[in-house]
Amino acid sequence: MNAVTDDLAVTSPALRGLRDYWKNLLGDRQMPARRDIDPIHIPKLLPHVSLADVFQNPPSFRHRLLGTFITQFYERDSTGEWLDEKLYGDSTEEVFWFYQRTVLRRAPLAVRQTV
């Protein structure tokens, strides 16, 4: 079961740290620019970071960076790979929806998932 969590429901210290880092970068903007995110400022959080390249027409995503916690958890490194059936199988539509929602909201999205 998956649930999209709101800001108050984030209980993971790593996710709270990422959320707070993101908020500190915002200023008066809706979202920080990619150039604002400096890994040197968040070394303890990097294992939990996922960055994706976003393409339009048609909408698609490619994994730019997946932290070591993520790659160890899923027992694979999908850096450089496209979000597609080959990678996510029957879960592709759901995963795509999470990525698309994140882009449309222009904000981080936490997903609670039973694996």
Side-chain angles (χ1 to χ4, degrees):
M1 167 175 245
N2 293 329
V4 176
T5 61
D6 63 23
D7 213 25
L8 301 174
V10 176
T11 57
S12 161
L15 289 180
R16 279 196 316 268
L18 286 168
R19 178 203 58 204
D20 294 346
Y21 178 68
W22 175 278
K23 284 182 172 185
N24 286 334
L25 296 176
L26 287 179
D28 60 355
R29 300 172 294 174
Q30 188 176 7
M31 64 184 293
R34 168 62 186 97
R35 68 180 171 276
D36 295 334
I37 300 170
D38 189 345
I40 200 163
H41 295 133
I42 54 169
K44 292 181 180 176
L45 300 175
L46 282 179
H48 304 275
V49 170
S50 169
L51 296 176
D53 293 319
V54 178
F55 298 88
Q56 301 297 331
N57 301 321
S60 56
F61 304 94
R62 183 175 55 216
H63 295 293
R64 175 183 285 264
L65 171 106
L66 293 169
T68 54
F69 177 84
I70 298 166
T71 60
Q72 289 170 358
F73 182 82
Y74 287 104
E75 298 179 339
R76 69 175 180 227
D77 184 357
S78 303
T79 301
E81 294 190 40
W82 292 92
L83 191 158
D84 60 17
E85 287 85 12
K86 181 185 108 195
L87 200 56
Y88 291 101
D90 293 341
S91 300
T92 302
E93 280 188 42
E94 183 177 27
V95 173
F96 188 88
W97 183 85
F98 290 134
Y99 276 69
Q100 189 69 11
R101 181 176 166 106
T102 301
V103 169
L104 294 173
R105 290 178 62 225
R106 297 180 152 299
L109 179 69
V111 177
R112 190 168 304 201
Q113 182 176 21
T114 302
V115 179

